[in-house]
Each structure stands twice: as C-alpha cells, then as structure tokens.
Amino acid sequence: MTTGSQPSPTQVQGLQHVDPQATARLRHLLFGAEILQAISVAASLGVPDLLADGPRSYTELAEATGTDAQTLLRVLRVLAAEGVLTQDENDCFGLTPVGNLLRTGVTGSQRASAIMKGSPYEWAAWGAFRRSVDDGGAAFRHAHGIGLFQYLDGHPDAAEVFNDMMTGITGAKCGAILGSYDFSWAGTYADVGGGHGILMARVLAAHPGMKGILFDLPSVADAAREQLDGAGVSDRCRVVGGSFLETVPPGADLYSLVSVLLNWTDQDAQRILRACHAAMRGNGRLLVVDWLVPPGGEPHPSKYVDLQMLALFGGRQRTEQEHRVLLTESGFEVTRVTDTRSGFSLIEAVPR
Ligand SMILES: C[S@@+](CC[C@H](N)C(=O)[O-])C[C@H]1O[C@@H](n2cnc3c(N)ncnc32)[C@H](O)[C@@H]1O
C-alpha cells in the first residue's frame, strides 16, 4: 500500500490489487475471436497467396481482393501485431513464416483450417457452445439441426474446405507416421475414414508391393481418386464408399483409423472399432493414430482440439488410458504405443 495521496495504478476500488500482467493476458485471450476472424478472412481472401512474391501495399491488396482498402488495413494491422504478417512504415505487408503457412499448397498449409474455423457454419456452433457444456452433445447439432458430416454432405464448398484441411493436417504428419511405424509387413493396408487419401498415397508410394483399400463415406471416397492418381498408386488401391458405423471392408492385414475416433462419442467409437474388428483376420493389426491428451495442466494442442471436437461433433480427444479402455472393450489388445514426435501418437492393437 502507498502512503501518498494518490492511489497507485494497481490500487482501485477498495484498494484491491489488480495485476496488470494478468489483465493484459486475459484481455489477449478474450481477443481470440478478433484474431481468428482476421486470420480466417485474410486466408479466404487469398491475401497470403498474393504476398507469395514479396510485400505489397494494402491498397494493392484491397484492389486484388475487391475489398475496402481502409477496412482491409485494419484487419492486416492486427495480423502484423500478431506476427502473421510484417508491416512497414508505408503500410506494405509481407509474410512471416507463420503467415506463409496460410498460403495455398505449401507443405503444412493451414489455409483450409483457418477458413473453416472462421466460417459462418463453424462459428454458429461456437455460439451454441454453452449447450455442449450443459449436455456433452455437439453444439454444431444444436445450431444446425444436423451433424457436421451430414452438413458437409449437403454443402460441397464446405466439404472441399474440410477435406483440404484434413489433407493439410495429415499431409504434414505423413513423414512422422511413416518414420515411426513399419508398414512393410502388410500385404494389404486399409485406411478407414481415409479422407482424400493423402496417407494411403504416401504409404503405397513407399511400398511398391503393397495393395490398398481406402474407405470413407461415398462422396468423400469418390474424390480420393485424384490424390491416388497423382501419386501413381491408384492401380493398387481399391476405393470403397460406405459407413464405418455399419461395416468396414474385409481383406486387409493392417487397418488404420487416423484422426477418426476423436470425432465420435465413446459409444460410436466402439461401434467403429467393432466394425474394424469384424473385418480383420486373426493375424491382422489395427493402427489408431491420434493426439493423446497428456496428464496435468500443461498446454497441449490436444486440449484445444478436444473442445473443437466437442463443439463440432460431440466427440473427444482421449488420454492413452482412455484409448486403451475403448480398444479393450471393443475386443482388442494394445501391443504398442509410439509417440511420433509430431503431436500424433500411434497405438497398435490386435484382435483378442
Ligand atoms: C477427421 S477426418 C480424417 C480423415 C483422414 N483419416 C485424415 O487423417 O486426413 C474423418 C474422416 O471420417 C470420415 N467419415 C465420417 N463419417 C464416416 C462414416 N460414417 N463412415 C466412413 N467414414 C466416415 C470423414 O468423411 C472424414 O474423411
């Protein structure tokens, strides 16, 4: 407490102590919406792509994107303040390494992720997030009346963004997955919920003698052929459409579920695992690839993705132990857990 006539800046209303650092930290956290929307809008306007060859003035960027120059400037300066862009004294903006990841087609691109996170349909789910916390169900369903995968089925533009997002996320991890697990023993490999086939393409390209089965919802599986053609492996890969809540194609030695179980409640995750179990031969193996939530209160991406899974799907990220319980109750025995050092872990399991 000070003895002067004026209260110190940290003494307000009844001499309570206000920690300016805590205030600043909380205020920054509360600006999450502003930051996300600025990133998302800039990505959807293609601003990072327009900066691929070097910095440009905000007026040039506004002309190229058909936006109001003074308003775009307000968005861009927040991105500069957040280290996504650089800004010089003439209000020319350039890419930082962070902003570079918002470009189309660069390795590890997060452009689609940024667009989806700020989209009106995802945003509507966050508006209903309190409902998720009340009942554990998907806020997306509260907001839209249907599940996200059903929504994507009826909205091809949104589906394209979602599938591009997954190709970006999984594409960035393929090297770590291939480096952490020896796929070579499998004559036939099935990727269940394999999306547009980025991992399948990489696994088959690395193992010329292997055959593949890519399984996903019919509308998603159909579009996977492009990726497989591009990798020159489509003659060795059967693309099958269907629902893993019902059945999974038989005939593979190795099955994988990559970033799949997190979209589902425990009950539905067990349905998927049982469908895999029913498809597998006695010597088959299952590979679950997912984030594992670490114990304790340290920051970890899985804890944030967990809330996203709750809001969008009523799903969840799981700890290693929670995965073990799911697998055991679905008839599997865990044989190995490997940290790929890319965020993802691999859990190998065999039918009991
Ligand atoms: C989060 S994405 C993961 C995609 C891919 N494994 C990857 O890592 O990029 C989940 C996948 O599950 C698929 N999916 C959702 N419901 C499904 C169902 N009932 N049957 C089969 N696949 C389904 C989606 O279409 C999507 O491709």
Side-chain angles (χ1 to χ4, degrees), residues 19-39 77-84 98 123 304:
D19 178 342
Q21 278 183 341
T23 305
R25 168 82 181 126
L26 181 59
R27 285 184 67 81
H28 194 75
L29 291 174
L30 293 172
F31 284 137
E34 286 80 353
I35 296 167
L36 169 56
Q37 279 299 335
I39 294 173
R77 71 187 179 192
V78 166
L79 297 181
E82 287 299 320
V84 178
V98 177
W123 207 244
Y304 307 85

Side-chain angles (χ1 to χ4, degrees), residues 149 162 166 170 193-195 216-217 220 242-245 258-259 263-264:
F149 287 123
F162 179 86
M166 288 317 305
T170 306
D216 206 296
L217 292 168
V220 180
S243 174
F244 51 40
L245 293 169
V258 182
S259 300
N263 298 153
W264 301 91

Side-chain angles (χ1 to χ4, degrees), residues 183-207:
F183 287 76
S184 66
W185 66 271
T188 302
Y189 161 54
D191 195 15
V192 175
H196 278 183
I198 180 78
L199 179 62
M200 177 61 77
R202 294 282 298 274
V203 172
L204 291 187
H207 300 95

Side-chain angles (χ1 to χ4, degrees), residues 40-298:
S40 185
V41 166
S44 66
L45 289 171
V47 168
D49 289 328
L50 290 166
L51 297 176
D53 294 330
R56 297 174 74 171
S57 71
Y58 73 95
T59 48
E60 271 183 282
L61 291 169
E63 197 177 329
T65 55
T67 52
D68 178 71
Q70 289 305 321
T71 310
L72 185 64
L73 173 61
R74 292 159 64 189
V75 173
L76 299 179
R77 71 187 179 192
V78 166
L79 297 181
E82 287 299 320
V84 178
L85 300 178
T86 60
Q87 178 179 8
D88 72 12
E89 61 284 1
N90 299 316
D91 292 332
C92 279
F93 291 86
L95 290 176
T96 65
V98 177
N100 193 52
L101 291 172
L102 294 169
R103 283 173 54 202
T104 310
V106 295
T107 305
S109 174
Q110 310 229 5
R111 177 172 187 261
S113 185
I115 293 173
M116 181 169 166
K117 283 178 85 59
S119 67
Y121 55 93
E122 175 158 344
W123 207 244
W126 289 107
F129 186 57
R130 168 65 200 267
R131 304 273 301 269
S132 276
V133 180
D134 285 344
D135 64 15
F140 191 94
R141 196 176 277 280
H142 285 304
H144 296 281
I146 53 175
L148 177 55
F149 287 123
Q150 209 181 340
Y151 179 91
L152 296 179
D153 204 34
H155 295 81
D157 289 351
E160 191 180 331
V161 170
F162 179 86
N163 291 314
D164 284 355
M165 173 181 78
M166 288 317 305
T167 297
I169 292 172
T170 306
K173 315 274 184 208
C174 280
I177 294 171
L178 277 148
S180 308
Y181 188 80
D182 178 14
F183 287 76
S184 66
W185 66 271
T188 302
Y189 161 54
D191 195 15
V192 175
H196 278 183
I198 180 78
L199 179 62
M200 177 61 77
R202 294 282 298 274
V203 172
L204 291 187
H207 300 95
M210 190 183 288
K211 292 202 167 90
I213 303 172
L214 183 81
F215 182 67
D216 206 296
L217 292 168
S219 59
V220 180
D222 275 352
R225 292 202 169 83
E226 195 183 317
Q227 185 84 248
L228 301 169
D229 282 345
V233 299
S234 44
D235 56 329
R236 288 188 280 130
C237 187
R238 204 152 58 86
V239 176
V240 183
S243 174
F244 51 40
L245 293 169
E246 309 304 329
T247 55
V248 162
D253 307 300
L254 175 65
Y255 285 80
S256 66
L257 291 166
V258 182
S259 300
V260 165
L261 296 179
L262 77 172
N263 298 153
W264 301 91
T265 61
D266 284 354
Q267 201 182 14
D268 284 333
Q270 285 195 19
R271 263 177 90 178
I272 297 165
L273 288 169
R274 289 207 184 96
C276 290
H277 192 284
M280 289 170 75
R281 298 191 269 253
N283 59 351
R285 293 184 207 176
L286 173 71
L287 204 55
V288 172
V289 181
D290 240 316
W291 306 88
L292 294 185
V293 182
E298 292 305 307

